[in-house]
Structure formats: C-alpha cells, structure tokens
Amino acid sequence: MTNKIILLDGAMGTQIQKRGIHQRPESINISHGEVIEDIQRAYVQAGSDIIYSNTFGAHGRNYPDPEELRKTIHAGLQIAKRAAGTKAKVAFDMGPLGELLEPMGTMSFQRAYELFEQNIQIALEEGFDLVVIETMSSLLELRAAILAVKAHYDGPLFTTMTFEKDGRTFSGVSPQAFAIMADKLGVDALGVNCSLGPFEIQAILKSISQVTNKPLIVKANAGLPDEEGNYHMEDDLFIEGIQGMLDLGVQYIGGCCGTTEKTIQSLAQHFKGKEVRLETKEIKQYLASSSRVVALDQTRYVGEVINPTGKARLKESLEKKNMEEVLRLGVLQDQKGADLLDVNVSLPGTDEVYLLRKAALHLQALVDLPLQLDSSNAQALEAALMVTPGRPVINSVNGTQESLKTILPLAKKYGAMVVGLALDEGGIPKTSEKRLEIAEKIVKAAEFYGLEKRDVLVDPLVLTIASNKDSAKLALETIEKLTKKGYLTTMGTSNISFGLPKRSLVSASFLQVALALGCSMPIVNPLDPRVQEVIHTHRLLMGQDEKAMGYIAFMEDKKEVEPSLEEDEGDFSPYQAMRRSQKTELLNYVKGAIREKDPMEIISEELIPALDAIGRDYEKKEIYLPQLIGAASAAQEAFLFLRDQLKVKGDGKGEKILLATVKGDIHDIGKNIAKVLLENYGYDVYDLGRDVSKEEILQTVEEEDIHLVGLSALMTTTVSSMEDTIQLLTEKRPDLKIMVGGAVLTQTYAHEIGAHYYCKDAKEDIEIAKNVFKD
C-alpha cells in the first residue's frame, strides 16, 4: 500500500484453456500444479507485484467435501507462494458462488455467508498477503463475501465487480452503488475486472472515482472476444486504454481474459513504479441501493408508509409473514417520488427479527430505493443490515449510553448512516439548546466508533401539536440551529398533525416551513397530494427541477383527492402485477377472470402478452435480472392454477423440455431462469440440475420421449463436455433438437459443436420452444 502503481497478474482461465486441460480450474492445483505454477511464475517474471491464487471457484458449492476443498485451497496458495518467491505478494482469490441469492434465487444469504466464511478460514490456515474478492455481479453476494471475510481477517482486502456494456452488472448493479457500499464496508481498494476491454471500462471507472477516494483497481480483458471467443487486442492498444484511466486514481493494474505475461510485461515497461495520482477529493454524502444512488446534496424525502400503525391490511399481511403488502406500499411510494423508504414492521406478537430481514430482502429485489431500517430492536436491525446491499440508514440511535454503544457499532460495521434522536436518559428536552446538546453528544460518540459527523442525521423530534402548542416551534427552532452548525437533519413531519382533523393540511404546512429552515431529509407521506405539492414546489424554487418539467408533469396529473393507501382497482393489469411481483393479486385476478373466460384464453391473451412485455422491458434495460425473475415468479402460481383448470377440462400436458448444466459445470443461474420462464409458458420442464453426465441426459430423453433439450455451460473448461453430450444425443436421437446457452458460448461456436439453437439469454428459449413445437 504505497503511492506507486502496483502491477497485478493476467488471465488464468484463458491461459489454462490454451494448454488443453479440460477440468475444473481449481482442481488443476492438485492434478497439474506445475501448470499453474508456470503461469504464475511467468507473470512474476514479467513484473507482477501481486499474483492471485488459483482458488477463484474453490468453495463449498463446487467442493462439498470439506477435506477436498481444504486441499484445493491450500495447494493453490502454496503454488502461488512458490511462484511469487520474494518478488511478489500473494492474494487469496475468491470468486462468486454461481447461484442467485434469495429472494430471486434459491441460495439463502446465510448459506452464501457460510460458504465465504469457510473459504477465508481455510485460507488463513495456509496464509497469504491479502484477499481479493473478484468478478462479482450481485451486490448482495458481494456484501456476504465482504462481511464474512472481515469477520475473521483484518488485513488488506480488495474487491472488483464485472460490468456489461450498458455500464451495469448483469443483475443491474450500478458502479457507484458498488463503490459506495464497498468503501463504507471498509475495503482497501476497489474497481473493475473482466467482461470489457480497457476502453469500455474507462467510463465505468470514472463513475466510480466520483464517489470514493479509495485506490482503484482495473483488470481489463484484452478487448472484446470475437464470435469464437478469442481475444485479439494488441498490447500497445491495451496500454493506451489503461493510460486513459490513470488520472482517475488507478493504482492496481493487471489483466483479465485474453491477457498474457506479455501484456503484464508491457504494463511493467510503461507504468510499474510510477507515482499514483491519488488525491483526497471532497466526496458528497451518499445513500444507495443496488441500482440507485441518492446524493444528499439536496433535499431528499423518506417515505413513511411502511409502518403497521393504523394499517389493518399491512398488519394482517405481517402477521401471516407475507411481504406482498410491504412491496405494494414500497412500489406506490417509489411511483410518487420518494427518495428513500422507511421500513417499520414492528408489531406485537410477531418476530420482528425475521420480518425486518425479510422485508429488506424483498424490497431491495423489487424497488430500487435505498432503505431506512426503522426499529428499536438491535437484533432486528443487524439481521436486516446484513442483507441490505448498498448503503442504508438506521432509524435510530439516541443519546442514552445503552443506545450509543449498541447501535453505533452496527452503523460502522455495516456501512450505514444513522438517525440520531435528540433525547437521552432524561427524556425529550423542552428546549432547543438541550436538544442541540444531545445531538452533539451523539455525533461525538459516532466519531469515537469511526463514523463521521455527516453520517448522522439528527432528528429534533416532532410531537403532535394537539397536545403541546409549542411542539412545532421547538422542533423548527432546533432544525434551524442544527442547519447553521452544519448538521444533516431529518424529522417525521406527519407527527405534528396526529389527532387532528385535516391532517394533510397541517403536515404539508409544517413540512414547508421545515424545508425553508434547511431540513435535509424529512420523513413524509409521499402519497399525500398536499405533501406532493410542497415537494414539487420546493424542488422548483430551489433549482432542482430542470425547466420545471417535474412540476408541470405533476400538476397535469394532479387529482384533488384525499390520500389513500388502497389501490385503484381500475389500474390493475397482469403486467403491473408481474412488474410488482404481486403473486396474490395476480392469482386472485385469474381466479375471478376464469368465471368469464376460458383458461387458455387468459393465458394466451393476458398472461403471455404480459410476460412478453416484461421481457421487452428487460431487453431495453428498463428492468434488470432480479425484476425479471420476480415477474416470472409472480406469474408462476397463476399459470399453475390455470394449468390445473386445463387438466380438469381434459386438455393435454405441455410439451416436454429437458434442461441440464453439463458435466463438470456447477453454474446454473441461466438454466434456472430458463426453467422458470419455460414453465410459465406452459412447458413441462425436466430439470436434471448441474454437473450432469451425457449418459444421464440421454437416458432421460429416451425414457420420457423428449424432443427438445437445453444445455448450459458457463466455464470455458466444460464446453468440451457440452460438445461430447451433443455428439452422443445426436447419434442416438437424430430427431432431437438441442439448444445451448452460457456466457462462454457464441452463435458460431454453438453451431460448430452441433447445437441446433444458440440462446444468448433465457428469454430466447421461449422463441426456440415455440418454433420447435409449432407443428
């Protein structure tokens, strides 16, 4: 950790592929350790200061036998140490688990955490110089990895994510959201690796550099691959692309797919040992979800509606541990312009630890707003903080010693901001001076635990004016004093009107004055039309509304009605229900529609067009992978219900399709998505899972008389297994149609190995199936 440019190594996977070894890369540590050592020693001789151990996929999901996993990791570290000698440091390399986490996938956050925890514990037995978590695409999975590592290791920790051409990961993570979370969780350097060449990465890295002062990492591919998966970028051009990023604070430079020891040698000749242009920029204060970043450089609004107080429908939903009403209220507030969602699920007689964690998980999968986790239960807060990617807010801490020592360490550990309530052991002060004193006490304690003054949002506390005529005046005086002293502030503006008629009028008027006095992040009811008027007017007058377009649009759509949490039944559509992952609402709609329509009519005229529209939204990047899977999951129960009705009427079963990830490959995200989509379209899917032999696939095809097979492979080393499987199937069942997919495949290569169809994404499976079975 110096102020010099430090060189990392180059590719491992494509180097192994060149040598013609067809097995899981990490297993080569045991079977052909000399090959790995030769690759790594070449990088060290070329100038690498840090080399990554060949342990990228060495985790319990790929190696369920703990002893085999231990031997694989230890061997990988031992080989790297021998190759490094005294010339380079060794990074213990950890990659993704190859499976989506809940609620969009099947793996629980706890399981992911345990797998990463097992990895770091085994690696510590052998020893290394630093940890690198690389090639991540899910911010939730990265959070699990970072937290697991930091629970057992306090040395240098680097992390990189892999982004697509559109500037996001395949699951929709934005570069800035990644950087904000990684920075606040305490990593030492962060950046980008894989997927793209150096020129494509420049804009992504520039975006990252705007939200962090941490040293940056870049391990670019040697350009973009051709249709055969080969890389052709010349080293001179690679150097030119890297040169364009040095002014951004790049300190750690290496190569990913397609790069070789010659690439590293060229990097060494141009950059090794040169001074890094690291500067401490003034960074704004940010909150973030996985896909949205909210800068606190202007007034932001926290939606207060997810709170069971006075909401019978939400209470009933929470008592049943059902999240659909939570999600509905989250979507409504997002649509009405909230910047943040306060999440309070505290209800007597329920398990708040379970509910708050589940609410956080499900909201972040559907709504891209950052969360404010609202609870007085420290266990519930920690359970939810673990599974909330990005940067959330804790609501709240107060000036009592018990609260300070319990909540502030959580804010530091999980990289969160915190609401500081101006009360202590003496209760709520009756003067603004005393409330200011408590605020200063909270901030001082926060700094003791490693936070900053601006990590605390001070809440002066708003009590209903119905019981104290001075409550508004006192809260507003405190806000004004806090603003002048440079504090960020928040307040529950609706509290002022509790117990009064025409609450909307009182709350909106109070909000207007609070904004004028500098309240940074008021907590409001964004569904209240009067509150919306204040918000849009304030944005207009403060120059936050470009050409007044937001104000104009709001006024054109404005309806003079009292705020309501009930849905307008006229707005319901299967498409909207799928977009919002509303399983119950969609199922109830279908059950009602079947009284007047034939099941197949509902499927063909309503559900399938809705799914097609969702697919187009995904292709246009209006939604991302979690929302796509959520929509498909929401449709699942409706399809199953209608299929049962079809059976009652004597209709036949859906056409049979077999899906499998080929032998040696354990990555099945794409296959799992394809399964959900195909089943939703009425196909009868035989899912054989992952790491499936060609003999088992053939046996199932013959026993079930299947006519369409989908094969998946994500690893370069298992494509040969896919080819072998296709050859066997074609030989034994020449009438069989085969579609293939996976990140390592291309259209050209798919045809070369004998596949009839190539699927660039899961949605294409639907079109292929339609084509195969159309007659």
Side-chain angles (χ1 to χ4, degrees), residues 50-207:
I50 297 173
I51 58 173
Y52 290 13
S53 61
N54 183 38
T55 52
F56 177 83
H59 50 70
R61 188 167 178 268
N62 290 348
Y63 295 86
D65 180 354
E67 192 53 38
E68 183 185 8
L69 177 62
R70 176 172 279 102
K71 289 178 181 178
T72 302
I73 291 176
H74 284 189
L77 288 168
Q78 290 164 4
I79 292 168
K81 288 179 187 178
R82 290 198 300 269
T86 59
K87 295 181 179 180
K89 301 294 184 184
V90 172
F92 173 53
D93 186 13
M94 299 172 66
L97 301 173
E99 187 170 330
L100 284 173
L101 271 60
E102 292 177 337
M104 294 299 104
T106 56
M107 180 178 286
S108 70
F109 180 91
Q110 185 61 33
R111 175 58 176 158
Y113 181 92
E114 290 169 355
L115 289 171
F116 289 123
E117 184 177 45
Q118 181 184 33
N119 268 31
I120 188 65
Q121 289 174 319
I122 291 174
L124 284 167
E125 296 169 358
E126 180 60 39
F128 47 81
D129 297 303
L130 69 153
V131 173
V132 171
I133 304 169
E134 64 158 331
T135 325
M136 288 289 186
S137 57
S138 161
L139 206 58
L140 184 59
E141 184 178 13
L142 177 60
R143 191 173 186 86
I146 293 174
L147 292 174
V149 169
K150 292 184 76 68
H152 299 276
Y153 169 75
D154 60 1
L157 173 59
F158 294 4
T159 186
T160 53
M161 293 196 85
T162 179
F163 296 87
E164 306 295 325
K165 289 181 181 180
D166 65 353
R168 292 180 180 260
T169 73
F170 88 93
S171 61
V173 177
S174 81
Q176 290 193 339
F178 151 63
I180 290 164
M181 187 191 81
D183 187 331
K184 296 304 179 182
L185 288 181
V187 305
D188 298 289
L190 55 95
V192 182
N193 80 293
C194 204
S195 286
L196 303 170
F199 292 98
E200 292 81 11
I201 285 177
Q202 286 181 9
I204 296 171
L205 215 61
K206 183 177 181 180
S207 177

Side-chain angles (χ1 to χ4, degrees), residues 198-199 222-223 231-241 263 266:
F199 292 98
Y231 296 84
H232 303 286
M233 178 175 277
E234 296 293 333
D235 289 340
D236 289 347
L237 194 57
F238 190 87
I239 296 299
E240 182 183 335
T263 312
S266 295

Side-chain angles (χ1 to χ4, degrees), residues 524-566:
V524 302
N525 178 2
L527 310 184
D528 183 334
R530 288 194 179 95
V531 169
Q532 290 177 26
E533 286 179 352
V534 173
I535 291 172
H536 284 282
T537 304
H538 184 259
R539 285 173 174 163
L540 174 70
L541 297 177
M542 298 304 294
Q544 299 167 3
D545 187 353
E546 188 70 25
K547 297 181 180 180
M549 296 306 294
Y551 178 81
I552 293 170
F554 167 71
M555 286 302 173
E556 287 177 349
D557 295 337
K558 184 175 177 297
K559 296 178 181 179
E560 294 290 346
V561 294
E562 287 296 311
S564 172
L565 299 181
E566 299 303 318

